[in-house]
Amino acid sequence: MFCYKSVLMIICAILLAMGTVSFAIGNDCGTVLTAEQYQNELLRNSDFQDYKEKTVFRDDIHYSIPIAVHIVRSSQGEGGLDTTLLQDIFDTSNALNQPLNVSFYMYSLDFIDDDYYFYGTDNYSAYNQLREENVQSSAVNVYFVPDSSGFPYCGLSSYSSSTVQGIIMNNLCSDPYNYKSTFPHEVGHYFGLYHTHEDYFGVECPDGSNAETTGDLISDTPADPDLYQHVSDYPACEYDNYAPPPIECNATPYNPDVSNIMSYSRKLCRDIFSAGQAVKYRYTLENVHTELAYAFGGLITSGGIDLGTVTPGQVGLDTLRLSYVGPDSIELSSVSLQGTEFSLSGNWPVLLHYGDSTQIEISYDAGSGDICNYGNYSDSLILTFSFSDYSQLSLPVEVAVTIQPPSQDYYALGQPCLELYVPNTPQFGYDNLNLGMIVNGRDMLYAGTLLLGLVDASDTIVYQQIYLQDEYIVVDSLTEWQDSLGRNNYTLDFATSDGRLHGTVNYALGTGGIGLEDCQYIQVDYTIRNPCDTALTLYAGMFGDFEIDQSGEDYGYVDNVDQHLVYQRGRYEDITCALGGLYACGENKGMKAVNNTNEIYPYGNFRDYRAYEALAFGQYFSATQYSDASLLLSFGEATIQPDDSLICRAAIIYADSSLASYEAVYDELKSVLSTTATDIDGDCFANDVDNCPERYNPDQLDTNGNGIGDICEYICGDVNDDEVVDISDAVFIINYAFAGGQAPDPIESGDLNCDSSVDISDAVYVINYAFSGGSAPCDPNGDDSPDC
């Protein structure tokens, strides 16, 4: 009988509940032995025969097999297998699995809410496509599909040679009572068992004379003519003797085993695996699907380790429990990880006797914000054991954690006269609410972002946060503090979505005394770090879509001389907005007015190659008229070594009617530049963040952690850096001045008399000071510092 839609489905459900009938859907099992699996079997045959001869089936060795359950539902989340049936499915299957000494447990559960699969899993292309969804690499992936999908079988499994792995189960055949043998049947295929009526290897004779080389290749499963519809209903379960012996065999009649789970007998009649099938099943588990062997030698584990989802700043924890139910004893000798991201705690070595257990705690600390592995991260935990029958065995256990950014909150910075809306990424404003920078109640900056452009092989990668591009994630949310100038500062940490670059953005609100009046500018500092193990060359920039003219008739201007400033005017004739370059560590930096018509619309986003060209190349416009012009500041090209960083600084400013001209705006910006923008020593650290601002020290070494770079903490006169001023320093200076010897480092340490040169007079000065009670090295700063 066939049960399909609506009324018939209701009738089927009633009959199933009564337990009076067993149904078949189409060809029952869709698993077909392929040419690839045939060749695969032949290649492994010698190894399998050796395994059979040397392996004694041990009742004390039990394997727990992880099952990843995927339930297909409609796009609205409706339909799908009733999850309350899952435990019964596992329980009834495990009862049938006892001869194998294996059991199933649910490793994970998820839902695939997709109408495509809910209504269209009716062809092999769809079967394979479905089995590539949400794959768990350390489990048997089982996909439960509704009858509405058109899936014509009770079940279908991959073989070990299959490119796409996994099992598909029809929900109508997942009833754990009337169809209790269907799920173990499909998993049997997954572990190398064939139908007892298989004939791809040749027809098996009923007398068993060719049993090891034909049929299902298992000698203790009798020849089977295909029992589909030739066995009476349960509980009689009688074969109808319909099939004559194959013509190539003698006249011995068929006597098939109607109870074998791998046959096409009635579902309720099937309840055993043969001893030979158990050996083949275990061989495949131990030698082919080794990633699933979570228990051996009487040792039972709680399966894979999943620390769940953590956000930066959190710690993920999970515990692996080990129990021993075997004879004698077993020792957990060592525990190690293939990677280094996870931490372990527990006791080992530890000796376990029957009934003993121990635990290992695995943790992942995401507090550092080091999310190079942002997303799904996994590792292998290697447990090494020693016990009586074997010298040593290793058990790999999959460890997994998902690192997810905190939720993205928005913050309003500033006073009523100038508010800037920022989320906890390097973005400005709401994309959908037209709020970015508000000046006196009027929208000024609609959206903006930090742009970072890399070249990866031949492709450009640009990280941005506007125009439908979401390439930054949150590491830490906004914190507020006040600097020495009395400015309110807001700092947040971010990372690119692939974790290749990390960064910090700081907003400092301009206040009186910095050159601009209160609320007229916001200083933006970007610190961009490379946390990974290879140097990266990139372009950095800052992009802003100023909406001061919502009619599409904006004017964008660029200072073509210094190229520090790009600004815009439009419908609000009394207001000018600008981006200003205060400081950048890089080459080829400059400003640009981006013509939206040409470079943004009609694409709907700032595509990578467009954004990269804008960052990397010229094309500076003195003005663009009658177009929706946006503004771009390029900080230029820079290379960041592993664990190194660069700093870029900009300002978002506005000017009212008293500063409506280009000259006035630029003059005001220069007053900010003169106070905050300089990098005297050119080491890529601006003066106010440089621990030795007048000496080139890109490594920023500060051995004693006092905030002063080591290069600035020399002892005047100690030119050989032995922390003593004596005759050896005089000799060092003489060698330098007259014999081409090594120069003092820093050179200032040798200028004891402050005459701006290092010569014989400084050597004499050292001798007088060290041996004759002469004057100490001069103090040009008058502050008793060690400077010469």
Side-chain angles (χ1 to χ4, degrees), residues 391-409:
S391 59
Q392 191 176 78
L393 286 176
S394 293
L395 171 66
V397 177
E398 190 76 6
V399 182
V401 66
T402 299
I403 306 174
Q404 177 174 293
S407 60
Q408 183 163 299
D409 297 320

Side-chain angles (χ1 to χ4, degrees), residues 491-503:
T491 302
L492 57 87
D493 293 326
F494 64 90
T496 55
S497 56
D498 56 12
R500 296 177 68 180
L501 289 166
H502 293 191

Side-chain angles (χ1 to χ4, degrees), residues 133-277:
E133 297 282 350
N134 302 346
V135 173
Q136 295 287 343
S137 61
S138 296
V140 181
N141 291 268
V142 181
Y143 298 82
F144 290 89
V145 298
D147 188 44
S148 62
S149 67
F151 183 64
Y153 309 109
C154 262
L156 180 151
S157 174
S158 59
Y159 283 117
S160 58
S161 64
S162 304
T163 302
V164 178
Q165 293 287 303
I167 295 171
I168 301 177
M169 288 290 299
N170 194 313
N171 292 351
L172 289 182
C173 296
S174 299
D175 168 19
Y177 308 105
N178 295 287
Y179 285 85
K180 64 182 181 180
S181 61
T182 301
F183 184 46
H185 175 104
E186 297 304 334
V187 182
H189 287 313
Y190 195 90
F191 288 101
L193 302 185
Y194 305 115
H195 291 132
T196 52
H197 58 267
E198 183 59 65
D199 60 5
Y200 203 112
F201 299 99
V203 176
E204 182 179 356
C205 293
D207 64 2
S209 58
N210 61 351
E212 289 195 356
T213 58
T214 60
D216 65 352
L217 307 180
I218 305 294
S219 59
D220 65 351
T221 56
D224 181 346
D226 188 349
L227 298 177
Y228 182 64
Q229 293 186 340
H230 292 284
V231 175
S232 62
D233 287 343
Y234 179 83
C237 299
E238 295 177 348
Y239 168 58
D240 64 8
N241 294 307
Y242 81 98
I247 58 174
E248 59 266 42
C249 301
N250 60 29
T252 304
Y254 278 106
N255 185 27
D257 184 355
V258 297
S259 62
N260 195 283
I261 290 173
M262 299 309 297
S263 73
Y264 267 10
S265 182
R266 298 281 184 179
K267 305 294 186 300
L268 289 175
C269 297
R270 303 185 307 187
D271 58 11
I272 70 164
F273 288 102
S274 74
Q277 286 173 324

Side-chain angles (χ1 to χ4, degrees), residues 730-743 758-760:
V731 173
F732 193 103
I733 292 173
I734 292 169
N735 281 333
Y736 164 68
F738 294 101
Q742 181 180 347
V758 179
D759 52 26
I760 189 62

Side-chain angles (χ1 to χ4, degrees), residues 416-443:
C417 61
L418 190 158
E419 273 189 323
L420 181 66
Y421 285 81
V422 296
N424 46 11
T425 65
Q427 178 189 4
F428 311 114
Y430 294 102
D431 274 346
N432 58 344
L433 295 181
N434 197 30
L435 291 176
M437 186 169 75
I438 309 299
V439 177
N440 295 327
R442 293 184 288 188
D443 296 338

